Amino acid sequence: MAVHERSSCPAAVAVAALIALASVAAVAGEVFFQEKFDDGWEDRWVKSDWKKDDNTAGEWNHTSGKWNGDADDKGIQTSEDYRFYAISAQYPEFSNKDKTLVLQFSVKHEQKLDCGGGYVKLLGGDVDQKKFGGETPYSIMFGPDICGYATKKVHAILTKNGKNHLIKKEVPCETDQLTHVYTLIIRPDATYSILIDNTEKQSGSIYDDWDILPPKKIKDPEAKKPEDWDDKEYIPDPEDKKPEGYDDIPKEIPDPDAKKPEDWDDEEDGEWTVPNIPNPEYKGPWKQKKIKNPDYKGKWKAPLIDNPDYKDDPYIYAFDSLKHIGIELWQVKSGTLFDNILITDDPEYAKKFAEETWGKQKDGEKAAFDEAEKKRLEEESASTKDDDDDEDEDDADDVKADATAEATKDSTDEKPEGSKVAADEKTEASKDASAEEKKHDEL
């Protein structure tokens, strides 16, 4: 993407006016890269082949998301769970030596992210975009990272001399499902600021908040603690003496209230002995009182000396080559949406850019999100009610089935009695018939 320049130099016709203008330092801001993911964005970005061979490379969707403040303002969103994502874009190479660097972008985690990143990387000129991935060296990594309850922070990593240096201060990130703007400002005086939604959340010195350089001072390795150095803050009180006979006090004594049971039989139960109880006079092992040591000099510390390995770097804040911006992520749950990426040297322009994009849409997005949440909860409630109704119907069917089974059982239990009576009657009738037949034969 071409470099944008914003400067104002009104034409002057009078020499006096020209001289006056020349006496005022003109402030010119440069936009090195600005991406709103409008038409043609795929021509500016290169999707990496990283992780394609093992089928774990995720696809990006061009969308404004499920809820938004402007359906026409689209970004790129991760679309598949348990996938790696890598995509990058190129801009004219530059160095931020002697100038301010501002990196800004918006990100939204629609999936209610529980583990994954939402950061971007600035890279140098020597990058094969088709192979861009997790092992590709970068100059700056910046943005939110969330994983469980332990990790909910903003990464700000600066790479110097091939080593990645993490910021030492904690910068909490946003964890909701709305769009937020993250801004990193690095200044030529080696100070920095981190903003979220145009509000400063952290600031300080790169010298102090990153361990990029070795310390200026170190403990003198040759120093030894003087032999007469007294570092005992308290000492035994020489005036405190152990009371005479203290060690003769027993820990336990026979219980004076104990009585031999009346039914105790020495022959059967053995000789009865008085049980012991704790001695109220026993105070434990004697310890000598302690007092402040009048010769106490404090804890000895080795004196600090200049570190022979320390060498100041006036360009600790600067990077010689910045030419690519990349997004490289691993996501357990997809749904992270990036938009409105900006690289400039003008913090004021970045602030206005955020106001014109995120600022104008955030209320509409919040309303859309609230409506989506309301609908989701209603659907969940309806689904729960349907499940409860199904359970009630199942319970009713079970009760009916139990009643039918019980009735069948009762019928079955009664049937043998009737059958027995009928059988008895039939047997008796047979006997009578046989008797009649016999009698008839005799006749």
Side-chain angles (χ1 to χ4, degrees):
M1 177 170 285
V3 175
H4 301 276
E5 293 192 2
R6 300 177 298 98
S7 61
S8 126
C9 184
V13 292
V15 174
L18 288 172
I19 295 174
L21 287 172
S23 65
V24 179
V27 178
E30 286 185 273
V31 175
F32 305 104
F33 182 82
Q34 182 171 302
E35 180 61 81
K36 297 183 70 176
F37 293 99
D38 46 17
D39 292 342
W41 74 272
E42 288 182 295
D43 296 332
R44 298 185 291 272
W45 290 80
V46 177
K47 296 178 182 178
S48 176
D49 292 333
W50 181 57
K51 296 294 180 178
K52 281 190 175 181
D53 289 344
D54 56 11
N55 295 317
T56 57
E59 288 295 325
W60 296 90
N61 281 344
H62 186 224
T63 177
S64 57
K66 298 176 183 176
W67 46 83
N68 53 75
D70 181 356
D72 294 328
D73 186 357
K74 298 180 179 181
I76 56 172
Q77 185 179 42
T78 58
S79 66
E80 298 174 272
D81 297 344
Y82 297 100
R83 290 292 185 270
F84 293 91
Y85 295 86
I87 192 169
S88 63
Q90 188 180 107
Y91 48 83
E93 188 172 13
F94 75 97
S95 170
N96 66 314
K97 279 187 177 180
D98 300 319
K99 66 176 67 175
T100 297
L101 173 64
V102 183
L103 170 60
Q104 180 174 284
F105 65 97
S106 68
V107 64
K108 171 173 59 168
H109 301 302
E110 287 193 337
Q111 73 277 47
K112 200 168 186 178
L113 186 67
D114 54 10
C115 191
Y119 36 77
V120 301
K121 295 178 177 181
L122 293 188
L123 307 98
D126 188 19
V127 174
D128 183 344
Q129 290 180 262
K130 292 299 288 183
K131 295 181 180 179
F132 169 58
E135 301 301 317
T136 304
Y138 60 86
S139 298
I140 297 174
M141 187 175 106
F142 173 66
D145 187 24
I146 298 172
C147 197
Y149 295 101
T151 303
K152 296 179 180 180
K153 64 181 180 181
V154 177
H155 275 306
I157 303 176
L158 307 180
T159 301
K160 289 286 182 176
N161 301 318
K163 184 178 179 181
N164 300 333
H165 300 274
L166 281 68
I167 188 172
K168 294 187 288 184
K169 288 182 177 178
E170 283 295 318
V171 188
C173 67
E174 298 294 331
T175 59
D176 59 28
Q177 294 168 267
L178 300 174
T179 298
H180 295 282
V181 179
Y182 290 84
T183 308
L184 172 64
I185 303 173
I186 296 177
R187 306 179 186 88
D189 62 358
T191 62
Y192 74 95
S193 293
I194 293 175
L195 291 73
I196 302 178
D197 297 341
N198 271 346
T199 300
E200 186 174 83
K201 299 296 184 179
Q202 194 56 269
S203 63
S205 167
I206 294 177
Y207 284 104
D208 298 332
D209 296 341
W210 280 265
D211 288 330
I212 296 174
L213 300 179
K216 289 183 178 181
K217 299 282 186 178
I218 59 171
K219 294 178 181 179
D220 184 356
E222 303 297 326
K224 305 293 181 184
K225 182 170 74 171
E227 292 184 3
D228 61 348
W229 188 278
D230 196 336
D231 58 5
K232 291 187 280 298
E233 189 173 357
Y234 292 89
I235 59 172
D237 182 0
E239 303 297 325
D240 186 31
K241 305 294 183 183
K242 184 194 296 186
E244 188 174 344
Y246 187 92
D247 291 339
D248 298 331
I249 301 173
K251 189 175 183 179
E252 294 181 335
I253 58 173
D255 183 357
D257 296 325
K259 304 294 182 183
K260 181 177 180 179
E262 293 181 1
D263 60 351
W264 188 275
D265 188 325
D266 287 345
E267 292 184 1
E268 292 185 5
D269 302 324
E271 183 180 356
W272 183 80
T273 57
V274 179
N276 288 335
I277 60 172
N279 184 0
E281 301 298 324
Y282 180 73
K283 306 300 181 184
W286 185 79
K287 294 180 180 179
Q288 194 172 16
K289 294 178 182 177
K290 290 190 175 183
I291 60 173
K292 278 276 189 178
N293 182 1
D295 298 324
Y296 177 65
K297 295 182 179 181
K299 298 297 181 182
W300 184 82
K301 296 180 180 178
L304 298 178
I305 61 172
D306 290 336
N307 183 357
D309 296 328
Y310 176 79
K311 183 180 180 182
D312 188 24
D313 180 4
Y315 290 108
I316 189 173
Y317 67 91
F319 298 90
D320 293 333
S321 171
L322 296 173
K323 191 176 180 180
H324 297 88
I325 183 164
I327 303 172
E328 175 272 310
L329 308 168
W330 156 256
Q331 290 211 316
V332 175
K333 285 184 181 179
S334 62
T336 296
L337 192 154
F338 293 86
D339 198 4
N340 299 317
I341 301 174
L342 177 68
I343 305 171
T344 180
D345 62 2
D346 188 346
E348 280 302 312
Y349 178 73
K351 182 178 180 180
K352 291 177 182 177
F353 183 66
E355 290 172 351
E356 289 296 315
T357 51
W358 163 82
K360 287 186 176 181
Q361 298 177 24
K362 61 186 178 70
D363 292 340
E365 181 189 61
K366 180 62 165 62
F369 171 74
D370 290 343
E371 185 62 29
E373 275 295 282
K374 180 181 177 182
K375 184 178 180 181
R376 182 183 66 83
L377 293 173
E378 288 174 350
E379 290 175 351
E380 283 185 1
S381 178
S383 176
T384 301
K385 186 176 183 303
D386 290 342
D387 290 341
D388 291 342
D389 290 343
D390 290 342
E391 286 184 12
D392 291 342
E393 289 180 8
D394 291 342
D395 292 342
D397 290 343
D398 290 343
V399 170
K400 186 176 180 181
D402 290 343
T404 302
E406 189 65 29
T408 302
K409 179 176 181 296
D410 293 341
S411 175
T412 303
D413 291 342
E414 292 173 0
K415 186 174 181 180
E417 288 293 328
S419 299
K420 183 179 179 183
V421 171
D424 291 343
E425 291 176 350
K426 185 176 181 181
T427 302
E428 195 63 36
S430 298
K431 287 181 179 179
D432 292 342
S434 298
E436 286 293 329
E437 289 176 3
K438 185 177 181 182
K439 187 176 180 183
H440 181 273
D441 291 339
E442 289 177 354
L443 293 173

